Structures are given as structure tokens and as C-alpha cells.
């Protein structure tokens, strides 16, 4: 089959790869692109903007990719990231792999070297076999060689990113294709949009009956929501399922707010109790991975029967036996279960739900005391307590959260009231997702965003703060400045600075001003609350540099158990 461009007769109206790609993306409902331009893709940004679409230009492709993936998670349309070849592609690939791991729909489009040079390794400008390097890290990796194939490639990328378990797709475009011409009429015929790219996947009635029986016979059932349930955007059905069954629920971090943290059936503050004592656990879009101790060991206490709702069939039994698999999309599975359980309520379970609620409320009350206890230097509790008291008046603000202590304490302290209003380090625990996630949340929701970042985590993408100010995004970044990774009080060995410390004179508030934003340093919960309220009201991009006691944190936050320490030479 020839790759040579078709010969177009004189006088025929022409189109080219640039225009066909933009036409195809628009036909698929894409209006925002996140990226970083340069050879060979620079023109696409200018042409995309000339059409009245938005191109959000970042300082590094990694955060452009994080932004695209979070846009996909929040909108259920694939987020699109455009990068240059080789190093730009590689920077974007981290975000594509993270999107695939988190089940966020995203398409990474990178320019690439010409096949005839790459395949003979003849040393092209930014030569790299990007197609094959991407393949293991995403759902699919496609290369487009002819202009007439751009339409089908974009449709395949959109359908692959959205259908089944959402994830990342790579589209490789060798540079010359962008300027390759073909008949405009033929080009138009080569474009279409997919019909129903993320079709409902209905569970088998036998599977629904099996799961319903388990729930009916349970004494201590628990519902556990994961970000797959949040992504499904079937919030009313989820709430109805919770309230019709009366079963306590606990959310994974990005499922917080799917049902309000203030709901009487919320068991988030009784987590250890419900994981250990429950006898039937309904997993809804949540994997039994490391975040759930792989469904094994002391975290899970008494023997469990798991019901698992998941769109990915081979997720079932990934770690432990699943007694009642429900393979399908969350909405179809939840509603099928609701129909099967119609009118079901159990007195036994009511006693369990009451005990859980007591534990949850007692633990919350205990924590409340710590949140308002003053200390000479702010700690995580009283700083986050001040933030919580402000944010409870702004339930539709999207919270972005990264760090170790800044992450784990904020996850516990900051309540979420609405679905998809918390974006964090996700399944991989990635540092540096903050600025890209905040950009996407502000752009895609049009609402103010608050990003609570550890000072280490913020440092991974700090230059992207200029991206936020450039687009005047209403983002308040609260840097939890404890002067180091985990803590800021580690003793430095002779003649060198500790590998865990930062410059104690770092001024994140002044960095904000240098990058075009507003900046304020705060030392007390009262100052923090005042600065946060003012920033939200101003709508201006702001950094609040919150001084936290260097001794306040613990190594790796709540996952210190994952640390490896040498026993050699230890007394
Ligand atoms: C929860 N809890 C609360 C509340 N919410 N107490 C009071 N009030 C409220 N609102 C309690 C909860 O019952 C737990 O206590 C405890 O607080 C912690 O709750 P959490 O965070 O839900 O549970 P836990 O055990 O930390 O969950 C394990 C985990 C989590 C692995 C899912 O730690 C996690 O998501 N970690 C992500 C780590 C990460 O990715 N870090 C980034 C890289 S850091 P008990 O019930 O008493 O247990 C690099 O170093
Ligand atoms: P969490 O970390 O919050 O527990 P995970 O990312 O581990 O969530 O799990 C999300 C799960 O949800 C994945 O296994 C994915 O296949 C599944 N999923 C994503 N979207 C849907 C959907 N619409 N319906 C059913 N399952 C879904
Ligand atoms: Mg720190």
C-alpha cells in the first residue's frame, strides 16, 4: 500500500494534516487542548486558537498532561495534550501513564520523526520510536501515516480512551504529515465522530441476583466507593442506593463527596472498624490494590465476602476472591442492584449502621478538638482546621491535594460535600500533580480551586504557577511550608545540607508575586483563614505560604510502613 500522498488535480480545494486533525478533534467535541509547543507542532497551537478554541500552554509537558488527564476525569471527554517529539513526548508520557493507572481518559498527541529515518536509526532531530515506547504505558498507541487516516485515528483514540475502563491513548504524528495535502472534499468524507463511544455495560441478571442475595444475608455490610464511581457521574443513583439500603459507606480519597462527608451513613472516620468488622463489602469502582491492603491481612479483620462492581472484567479476583462480581458500568450495576433489592431493609443491619455511626461521630468529635487547639507554630491539624472552616462555606470549590502529611491530613480533615471536588495524587501517589490539576479544574469547572500542597510536592511543578497566573485562573495555592520533605527539622550531617531539607528562607509568597500572582505569608490559623477567604473572594491567583512547624510531620505521612530501612549497623 503506498504511503505517497495522493496526487491532487489542479484547482481542487485542498486541506492538510493540520486542518484535518483540528476538524477531527472539533468533531469529537474537543475545544480545550493542554500542551507545550515547539518543533514540529508549533503551528497547531496558533491555528487552534485562530478557530476560537483554547490552547493552554504549560512550562513542562508533564503538567500539561496532568491537566489533560484531570480534564478527562472531570468531563468524561478525553483530555487532549499536545507535545513536541522525543523529550516533550517523554515528559507527557509520565502523565499518560498516570492517566491510564488512574483510569482517566486522555489522548497524548506528539509530533515525531519520519519513519524512514527512525526505522534506520539515522539520527533525526529528536529521533525516538515514540509509538513503541508509549505502547506499554497506555491503553493503545496509534501512528497516523496518511492524511486520510486522521479521522479514523482520532475516533479510535476517543473511543479507546472512553470505552470500558477509561485511560490514556497515544497518537503519534510524523512531522511531514501535518503539511501533507489532500482534496478538501475527500478529507471531509474521511471524518466522523463515534456513536456512543462509552456504551453502557449491563451486568448479567444472574450476577445481580447473586450480589443482592449476599447483601440481604449480610449482618454488617459496607459500601466502599472508589474514583470509578465518582467518574461515572451517576450521583443521584449512588445516593439512592445508599439511602434505600441504609448501608454505611466509606469513600476512597477521590470518591470523597460522592455522597457528602456529612451524610449520616458516612463511615469515613470509622474506617479501620468498618474494614475489619464488616462481613460483606460492596466495592463500587474501587480496586483492591495497595490503597486497600490488597484485600488481605489485618486491615480486613474478619473473613469478608466481596461484591465488586467494575467495568473491567479482569479486575475481578485481582487480589482476593470476589464472591459476587458485577461486571458493568457503575450506573447500570447500581440501578440493577437497586431494582433487585427493592424495598429491602434489615433490622440486624440497622444495629450495625448505628454502631458505625457512633464510632464515626465520636472520632470526628475527637479530631475537632485538635483542629482548634492553638500551638506556638501551626501544625497540620490547626492549619487544616482553619482551612476546613472556610471551605465549608464554599462546597463547590474543587480541592487539589498533594504531599505526604499535607495529603494525608487534608484527606482526613477537609470535608467534601459534592462529587468530583477532590483531585489528588491518585492511585500512584504522584507528587507534582498539583498545578496541572488545579489548572484543569479551574478551566473545566469554571469554579474557584484551592490547592493544598506540601512544600516538597509544590516544588515539583512550581513553575507552572506562572501558567495559572497567565490565564488568571482563580486558584489559591496553600503551600504547607514545613521546610522539608516530610519534616523540616532533620539534622544535617557534617559539611552538607540534609537531603531532606529545603532552604529555610524560601518565600513562596514572594515567588507568587514574581510570577504574576498575589502572595501572602501566614503564621497562625487566623491569618490563614483570613488570607484564604480574601483570596477566594478576590478570584485572583494566589499563593498562601503557610508556615508549619518543621517537627509536625511524620516520615511518609500515613504510609510510613512502606518505607524500607536498613538493619545493618543499627543498634
Ligand atoms: C478519616 N478519619 C477521620 C476522618 N476521616 N477521623 C476524624 N475525622 C474525619 N473526618 C480517620 C480514619 O477513620 C482513619 O482512622 C484515619 O483517619 C485515616 O483515615 P484515611 O486516611 O481514610 O485512612 P488510611 O488508613 O490512611 O488509608 C490508607 C490509605 C491512605 C493508604 C488508603 O493512607 C492513602 O490514601 N494514602 C495515600 C498515600 C499517598 O499516595 N501519598 C503520596 C506519596 S507520599 P482509623 O479508622 O482509626 O484507622 C510519599 O512519601
Ligand atoms: P480508588 O483508587 O478511588 O479506589 P481505583 O482507581 O482503584 O479507585 O478504581 C477505579 C476502578 O473503577 C477501576 O478498576 C476502573 O476499572 C473502574 N471504573 C472506572 N469507571 C467505571 C465505570 N464507569 N463503571 C464501572 N467501573 C468503572
Ligand atoms: Mg514539607
Amino acid at each position: 500500500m503506498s504511503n505517497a500522498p495522493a496526487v491532487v488535480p489542479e484547482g481542487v480545494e485542498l486541506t492538510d494534516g493540520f486542518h484535518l486533525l483540528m476538524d477531527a478533534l472539533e468533531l469529537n467535541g474537543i475545544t480545550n487542548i493542554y500542551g507545550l509547543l515547539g518543533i514540529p507542532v508549533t503551528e497547531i497551537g496558533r491555528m487552534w486558537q485562530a478557530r476560537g478554541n483554547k490552547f493552554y500552554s504549560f512550562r513542562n509537558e508533564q503538567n500539561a498532561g496532568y491537566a489533560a488527564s484531570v480534564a478527562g476525569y472531570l468531563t468524561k471527554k478525553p483530555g487532549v495534550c499536545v507535545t513536541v517529539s522525543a523529550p516533550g513526548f517523554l515528559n507527557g508520557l509520565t502523565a499518560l501513564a498516570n492517566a491510564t493507572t488512574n483510569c482517566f481518559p486522555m489522548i497524548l498527541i506528539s509530533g515525531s520523526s519520519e519513519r524512514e529515518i527512525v526505522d534506520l536509526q539515522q539520527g533525526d532531530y529528536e529521533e525516538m520510536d515514540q509509538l513503541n515506547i508509549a505502547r506499554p504505558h497506555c491503553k493503545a498507541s496509534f501512528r497516523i501515516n496518511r492524511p486520510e487516516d486522521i479521522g479514523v485515528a482520532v475516533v479510535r483514540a476517543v473511543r479507546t480512551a472512553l470505552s470500558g475502563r477509561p485511560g490514556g491513548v497515544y497518537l503519534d504524528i510524523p512531522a511531514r504529515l501535518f503539511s501533507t495535502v489532500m482534496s478538501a472534499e475527500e478529507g471531509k468524507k474521511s471524518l466522523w465522530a463515534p456513536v456512543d463511544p462509552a456504551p453502557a455495560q449491563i451486568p448479567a441478571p444472574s450476577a445481580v441476583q447473586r450480589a443482592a442475595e449476599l447483601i440481604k444475608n449480610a449482618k454488617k455490610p459496607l459500601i466502599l466507593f472508589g474514583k470509578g464511581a465518582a467518574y461515572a457521574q451517576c450521583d443521584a443513583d449512588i445516593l439512592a442506593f445508599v439511602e434505600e439500603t441504609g448501608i454505611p459507606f466509606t469513600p476512597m480519597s477521590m470518591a470523597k463527596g460522592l455522597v457528602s462527608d456529612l451524610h449520616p451513613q458516612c463511615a469515613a472516620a470509622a474506617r479501620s472498624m468498618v474494614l475489619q468488622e464488616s462481613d460483606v463489602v460492596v466495592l463500587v469502582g474501587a480496586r483492591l490494590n495497595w490503597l486497600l491492603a490488597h484485600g488481605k491481612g489485618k486491615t480486613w479483620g474478619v473473613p469478608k465476602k466481596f461484591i465488586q462492581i467494575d467495568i473491567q472484567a479482569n479486575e475481578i479476583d485481582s487480589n482476593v476472591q470476589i464472591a459476587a462480581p458485577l461486571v458493568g458500568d457503575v450506573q447500570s450495576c447500581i440501578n440493577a442492584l437497586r431494582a433487585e433489592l427493592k424495598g429491602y431493609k434489615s433490622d440486624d443491619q440497622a444495629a450495625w449502621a448505628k454502631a458505625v455511626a457512633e464510632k464515626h461521630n465520636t472520632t470526628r468529635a475527637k479530631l475537632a478538638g485538635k483542629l482548634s487547639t492553638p500551638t506556638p507554630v501551626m501544625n497540620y491539624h490547626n492549619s487544616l482546621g482553619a482551612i476546613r472552616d472556610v471551605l465549608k462555606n464554599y462546597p463547590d470549590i474543587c480541592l487539589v491535594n498533594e504531599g505526604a502529611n499535607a495529603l494525608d491530613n487534608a484527606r482526613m480533615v477537609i470535608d467534601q460535600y459534592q462529587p468530583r471536588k477532590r483531585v489528588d495524587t491518585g492511585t500512584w501517589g504522584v507528587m507534582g500533580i498539583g498545578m496541572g490539576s488545579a489548572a484543569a479544574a479551574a478551566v473545566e469547572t469554571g469554579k474557584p480551586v484551592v490547592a493544598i500542597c506540601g512544600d516538597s510536592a509544590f516544588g515539583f511543578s512550581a513553575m507552572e504557577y506562572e501558567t495559572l497566573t497567565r490565564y488568571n485562573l482563580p486558584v489559591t495555592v496553600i503551600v504547607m511550608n514545613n521546610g522539608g520533605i516530610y519534616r523540616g527539622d532533620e539534622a544535617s550531617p557534617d559539611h552538607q545540607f540534609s537531603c531532606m531539607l529545603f532552604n529555610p528562607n524560601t518565600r513562596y509568597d514572594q515567588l507568587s508575586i514574581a510570577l504574576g500572582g498575589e502572595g501572602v505569608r501566614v503564621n497562625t490559623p487566623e491569618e490563614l483563614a483570613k488570607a484564604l477567604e480574601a483570596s477566594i473572594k478576590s478570584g485572583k491567583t494566589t499563593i498562601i505560604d503557610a508556615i508549619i512547624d518543621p517537627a509536625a510531620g511524620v516520615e511518609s505521612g500515613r504510609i510510613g510502613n512502606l518505607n524500607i530501612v536498613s538493619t545493618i549497623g543499627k543498634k
Side-chain angles (χ1 to χ4, degrees):
M1 178 186 294
S2 157
N3 263 347
V7 177
V8 186
E10 275 297 306
V12 168
E13 188 196 350
L14 299 179
T15 185
D16 67 6
F18 278 121
H19 289 84
L20 286 166
L21 178 61
M22 292 188 291
D23 295 345
L25 289 173
E26 285 179 340
L27 199 53
N28 281 274
I30 306 298
T31 51
N32 295 336
I33 293 180
Y34 300 86
L36 206 177
L37 296 166
I39 294 170
V41 296
T42 310
E43 267 308 280
I44 197 98
R46 295 190 180 109
M47 295 159 82
W48 187 250
Q49 289 182 311
R51 289 182 174 213
N53 297 314
K54 300 282 189 197
F55 190 102
Y56 293 93
S57 182
F58 281 71
R59 307 301 297 269
N60 181 293
E61 297 86 350
Q62 194 176 100
N63 257 267
Y66 290 145
S69 66
V70 167
Y73 168 69
L74 294 174
T75 64
K76 294 187 84 174
K77 287 191 312 183
V80 173
C81 176
V82 170
T83 80
V84 303
S85 39
F89 153 77
L90 282 178
N91 290 341
L93 185 59
T94 302
L96 188 70
N98 186 55
T100 305
T101 304
N102 279 292
C103 315
F104 297 164
M106 171 190 166
I107 300 171
L108 173 65
I109 300 173
S110 298
S112 63
S113 315
E114 303 311 330
R115 303 307 325 129
E116 62 274 17
I117 300 178
V118 176
D119 295 351
L120 287 174
Q121 295 173 28
Q122 292 180 318
D124 199 359
Y125 165 75
E126 294 194 345
E127 176 179 293
M128 175 171 271
D129 182 3
Q130 294 163 203
L131 176 79
N132 289 309
I133 288 170
R135 188 154 281 139
H137 306 293
C138 55
K139 280 186 79 173
S141 174
F142 303 120
R143 177 189 300 125
I144 315 174
N145 291 301
R146 302 180 302 181
E148 61 266 36
D149 295 331
I150 289 173
V152 64
V154 170
V155 166
R156 291 208 71 188
V158 167
R159 184 175 288 280
T160 306
L162 290 177
S163 60
R165 170 182 279 177
V169 177
Y170 175 60
L171 266 187
D172 184 82
I173 304 188
R176 199 168 43 227
L177 180 68
F178 286 106
S179 58
T180 302
V181 298
M182 70 178 286
S183 140
E185 188 188 346
E186 290 308 306
K188 196 165 173 1
K189 287 182 200 159
S190 71
L191 303 175
W192 75 91
V195 173
D196 190 15
Q201 296 189 16
I202 317 295
S206 57
V208 176
Q209 285 144 24
R210 183 189 300 119
E213 275 315 298
L214 270 185
I215 291 173
K216 287 176 186 168
N217 294 320
K219 297 271 181 293
K220 299 181 176 181
L222 172 69
I223 300 169
L224 199 159
F225 290 120
K227 56 178 158 314
Y231 174 80
Q233 292 195 21
C234 56
D235 310 330
D237 302 312
I238 293 265
L239 180 62
F241 175 61
V242 165
E243 294 186 338
E244 287 161 4
T245 60
I247 296 174
F249 70 88
T250 188
M252 296 303 288
S253 66
M254 283 182 62
K256 276 172 66 79
L258 181 54
V259 179
S260 170
D261 278 342
L262 301 186
H263 191 282
Q265 290 168 245
C266 182
R271 189 176 192 271
S272 285
M273 171 192 173
V274 293
L275 294 189
Q276 283 166 2
E277 296 181 22
S278 54
D279 57 358
V280 171
V281 178
V282 188
L283 297 164
V284 188
R287 286 170 285 195
L288 279 173
N289 54 20
W290 74 279
L291 291 158
L292 285 168
H294 301 285
K296 304 168 191 162
K298 62 179 176 30
T299 300
W300 289 96
V302 302
K304 269 340 120 185
K305 286 199 178 297
F306 287 105
I307 297 165
Q308 183 156 18
I309 294 176
D310 206 293
I311 205 160
Q312 177 82 14
N314 68 359
E315 183 59 37
I316 309 297
D317 289 347
S318 61
N319 283 272
V320 293
Q321 184 186 27
I322 301 299
L326 262 179
V327 178
D329 69 273
V330 163
Q331 181 163 36
S332 300
C333 292
I334 286 285
N335 286 332
L337 258 185
R338 286 177 60 203
E340 192 68 28
L341 288 167
K342 200 145 191 65
Y344 172 75
K345 275 260 197 240
S346 140
D347 294 341
D348 285 355
Q349 293 180 11
W352 155 248
K354 188 166 174 289
V356 170
E358 271 160 21
K359 171 70 177 168
H360 171 82
N361 294 327
T362 310
T363 311
R364 276 183 68 94
K366 255 191 248 163
L367 180 70
K370 290 184 192 168
L371 301 184
S372 51
T373 303
T375 49
V377 183
M378 271 196 292
N379 60 26
Y380 285 100
H381 283 132
N382 51 35
S383 57
L384 289 165
I387 295 168
R388 176 170 79 165
D389 290 346
V390 173
L391 292 186
K392 70 185 172 195
N393 303 318
Y394 300 94
D396 60 359
I397 274 186
C398 184
L399 177 73
V400 171
N401 189 205
E402 61 175 343
N405 297 285
L407 176 89
D408 290 343
N409 288 294
R411 181 181 61 246
M412 178 171 68
V413 171
I414 310 291
D415 290 324
Q416 301 296 152
Y417 312 94
Q418 296 175 13
R420 295 171 297 285
K421 293 292 183 185
R422 179 185 163 91
V423 175
D424 63 26
T425 53
T427 302
W428 259 356
V430 175
M431 295 295 100
I433 52 93
M435 298 306 102
S437 302
V443 165
E444 302 295 343
T445 69
K447 301 281 186 190
V449 174
V450 171
I452 300 175
C453 305
D455 48 354
S456 170
F458 175 68
F460 281 76
S461 61
M463 197 58 211
E464 298 296 350
Y465 182 75
E466 185 275 331
T467 304
L468 302 182
T469 63
R470 186 171 356 118
Y471 295 110
N472 291 313
L473 296 177
V475 176
T476 306
V477 181
I478 302 172
V479 180
M480 307 294 270
N481 184 352
N482 69 343
I485 304 172
Y486 306 139
R487 299 167 63 111
D489 61 350
E490 178 138 326
S492 293
D494 293 350
H495 314 307
Q496 60 179 312
F497 215 58
S498 160
C499 53
M500 301 301 281
L501 295 183
F502 301 132
N503 185 329
N505 305 315
T506 304
R507 293 298 302 250
Y508 298 103
D509 54 332
Q510 291 174 10
L511 174 68
S512 178
I513 294 161
L515 295 178
E518 305 288 319
V520 57
R521 166 165 282 192
V522 298
N523 289 289
T524 67
E526 296 72 23
E527 289 172 1
L528 175 48
K530 188 162 163 268
L532 178 55
E533 189 77 49
S535 171
I536 293 170
K537 288 201 166 96
S538 76
K540 291 187 178 156
T541 319
T542 305
I543 290 181
I544 299 175
D545 183 357
I547 298 302
I548 303 293
D549 181 350
V554 292
E555 184 111 348
S556 303
R558 287 185 60 85
I559 57 169
N561 58 303
L562 299 182
N563 271 324
I564 307 296
V565 288
S566 168
T567 54
I568 307 298
K570 299 266 182 193
K571 291 185 186 54

